Amino acid sequence: MASLRTLDDLGDVAGKRALVRVDLNVPMADGAVTDDTRFRATLPTVTELADRGAVVLLLAHFGRPKGERRPDMSLSMVTRAYEQVLGRPVRYVGECAGPLAADNVLAMQPGDVAILENTRFHAGEEKNDPQLARAMAELGDFYVNDAFSAAHRAHSSTEGLAHLLPAYAGRSMEAELKALETALGEPERPVAAVVGGAKVSTKLDVLRNLVAKVDHLIIGGGMANTFLAARGVDVGKSLCEHDLKDTALAILDAADRANCTVHLPYDVVVAKEFAANPPSLRTCNVHEVAADEMILDVGPAAVEALADALKTCRTLVWNGPLGAFETPPFDRATVALAQTAAALTQSGSLVSVAGGGDTVAALNHAGVADGFTFVSTAGGAFLEWMEGKELPGVEALKR
Ligand code: ADP
Ligand code: MG
């Protein structure tokens, strides 16, 4: 973090205009916000800047309007809901650049907060058009990026702007980067990674990066089937990418050379049909899966062994559920191992960081999200970070 400037490095900001990139891309149904997690993540930064007397101008995208003004993707729809969460008045400005925006901003007083219209209404946003960035920059005196979840994209409001104004990381960005640095930057060893989810193909770079960095790689979910099959195990009708056999073997080989212990399940929960509590449900050794069965979860004996492995570790990074957790009882391995990780975290022996859309849902389902050291809600950005990639929105803040 030493290389990043934060709000602590700002001097007197009273009366200054802060352009703050946030993530307001909340899910909605029937005109109502159904999950305000992203709103709440902005509160430390927005409240602090307003309290310090800055004019706070929020830049955000909403949906994928692809450069068109789309009323159904206007941030005016969420302004009232955001105001409720913030607990102070928020105005809506119908543009994020140009004269209309400038006029509105001029009328604002220190401590005022405004949401500027969807940055993606401009085709230049996703192209990182410097002209759009310059037009945005004219509205502010300094720039704060508090949207880690958008930091894997080099857009005008996430990257371009950082080069035009004094740039700072917001409080949520700061917390996210600190947590990620603790988990994979300079972690306490041994380090374990859990990688699960549906497919190997979506997480190849994650696996390749992790085998070089962690001491224990725990593979679960559908992707474990691909590794098992590559090793000659008959996985029946399981979700499995047979064409990735060589890739899977190369990853196992790389792990071997890096002294990374790979944990694949040796007992599994199988069924002939994918449904809740199916009659054909049974637990068996991985070598006993029948041709008409599917592996849908890691078995209880393997989970116990994984829990024992976690007990020897100091750091854990987790992406992807161990089984088809949305359908009972295939949530059991994920819930049990997540509970172990949370308990070890609470007792002080483990630093645990998790992320990924379905992973967050699974941890919430297990009731342990609060028990982890840090849970990232940034889906794509979290995965790119796990791949070891530099995030343009973060890099641009380093100067
Ligand atoms: P994340 O969003 O956290 O990165 P993924 O999208 O990679 O996670 O994977 C989540 C999905 O993987 C879930 O929908 C889950 O049902 C599915 N899954 C996990 N294990 C299996 C399995 N053995 N067979 C089929 N699907 C599985
Ligand atoms: Mg997913």
Side-chain angles (χ1 to χ4, degrees), residues 201-370:
S201 52
T202 59
K203 293 185 182 172
L204 274 178
D205 289 335
V206 171
L207 293 163
R208 287 190 184 119
N209 184 41
L210 289 177
V211 291
K213 291 199 175 148
V214 306
D215 305 292
H216 294 272
L217 179 61
I218 295 168
I219 303 178
M223 65 171 64
N225 304 338
T226 300
F227 282 93
L228 290 169
R231 281 193 169 164
V233 174
D234 184 353
V235 298
K237 276 201 304 166
S238 303
L239 175 64
C240 178
E241 293 167 290
H242 292 283
D243 53 321
L244 288 182
K245 177 179 176 183
D246 292 343
T247 309
L249 291 176
I251 289 169
L252 293 175
D253 201 46
D256 228 30
R257 277 180 279 124
N259 263 328
C260 167
T261 307
V262 176
H263 301 256
L264 285 167
Y266 50 80
D267 66 336
V268 286
V269 181
V270 299
K272 290 190 207 290
E273 66 274 61
F274 185 24
N277 305 303
S280 59
L281 181 77
R282 68 182 190 108
T283 297
C284 67
N285 184 284
V286 284
H287 297 290
E288 293 163 352
V289 179
D292 59 350
E293 286 179 322
M294 278 175 280
I295 300 172
L296 292 164
D297 200 12
V298 172
V303 170
E304 221 169 288
L306 295 176
D308 285 340
L310 284 192
K311 285 174 193 150
T312 70
C313 292
R314 303 287 295 166
T315 305
L316 167 68
V317 41
W318 185 325
N319 170 262
L322 295 179
F325 76 99
E326 301 93 335
T327 310
F330 309 113
D331 58 342
R332 282 201 188 143
T334 306
V335 169
L337 197 64
Q339 282 171 345
T340 299
L344 291 170
T345 305
Q346 293 309 308
S347 74
S349 75
L350 191 70
V351 169
S352 54
V353 174
D358 294 293
T359 308
V360 176
L363 296 185
N364 283 328
H365 168 74
V368 299
D370 290 340

Side-chain angles (χ1 to χ4, degrees), residues 13-34:
V13 295
K16 294 210 174 131
R17 298 159 303 162
L19 277 168
V20 187
R21 180 55 157 99
V22 287
D23 185 353
L24 302 181
N25 198 22
V26 290
M28 292 185 75
D30 300 326
V33 173
T34 53

Side-chain angles (χ1 to χ4, degrees), residues 49-334:
L49 288 171
D51 286 346
R52 288 169 69 176
V55 172
V56 184
L57 308 170
L58 302 182
L59 289 170
H61 74 276
F62 194 83
R64 299 176 186 271
K66 303 238 148 86
E68 273 172 56
R69 283 199 83 89
R70 292 266 307 263
D72 59 325
M73 294 180 194
S74 169
L75 283 168
S76 62
M77 295 187 306
V78 305
T79 304
R80 290 289 82 82
Y82 184 72
E83 191 169 60
Q84 297 273 308
V85 175
L86 183 63
R88 50 180 96 194
V90 177
R91 53 174 92 197
Y92 157 75
V93 173
E95 255 300 352
C96 66
L100 177 120
D103 285 352
N104 275 277
V105 169
L106 273 180
M108 289 173 67
Q109 301 297 315
D112 284 354
V113 179
I115 293 179
L116 309 191
E117 187 54 286
N118 196 340
T119 53
R120 292 192 186 165
F121 281 2
H122 293 269
E125 164 74 339
E126 297 191 53
K127 298 184 185 122
N128 201 3
D129 176 8
Q131 215 170 320
L132 176 63
R134 275 196 295 275
M136 289 173 177
E138 275 177 30
L139 302 175
D141 298 305
F142 65 96
Y143 170 72
V144 175
N145 192 344
D146 208 25
F148 175 81
S149 55
H152 56 314
R153 306 224 155 91
H155 294 172
S156 298
S157 70
T158 62
E159 204 273 346
L161 256 180
H163 299 290
L164 301 173
L165 292 172
Y168 304 85
R171 296 299 183 201
S172 285
M173 173 75 89
E174 197 186 338
E176 181 103 25
L177 293 174
K178 266 192 193 142
L180 301 190
E181 182 61 24
T182 318
L184 275 190
E186 300 202 0
E188 276 198 57
R189 294 196 173 271
V191 185
V194 171
V195 184
K199 290 184 173 177
V200 171
S201 52
T202 59
K203 293 185 182 172
L204 274 178
D205 289 335
V206 171
L207 293 163
R208 287 190 184 119
N209 184 41
L210 289 177
V211 291
K213 291 199 175 148
V214 306
D215 305 292
H216 294 272
L217 179 61
I218 295 168
I219 303 178
M223 65 171 64
N225 304 338
T226 300
F227 282 93
L228 290 169
R231 281 193 169 164
V233 174
D234 184 353
V235 298
K237 276 201 304 166
S238 303
L239 175 64
C240 178
E241 293 167 290
H242 292 283
D243 53 321
L244 288 182
K245 177 179 176 183
D246 292 343
T247 309
L249 291 176
I251 289 169
L252 293 175
D253 201 46
D256 228 30
R257 277 180 279 124
N259 263 328
C260 167
T261 307
V262 176
H263 301 256
L264 285 167
Y266 50 80
D267 66 336
V268 286
V269 181
V270 299
K272 290 190 207 290
E273 66 274 61
F274 185 24
N277 305 303
S280 59
L281 181 77
R282 68 182 190 108
T283 297
C284 67
N285 184 284
V286 284
H287 297 290
E288 293 163 352
V289 179
D292 59 350
E293 286 179 322
M294 278 175 280
I295 300 172
L296 292 164
D297 200 12
V298 172
V303 170
E304 221 169 288
L306 295 176
D308 285 340
L310 284 192
K311 285 174 193 150
T312 70
C313 292
R314 303 287 295 166
T315 305
L316 167 68
V317 41
W318 185 325
N319 170 262
L322 295 179
F325 76 99
E326 301 93 335
T327 310
F330 309 113
D331 58 342
R332 282 201 188 143
T334 306

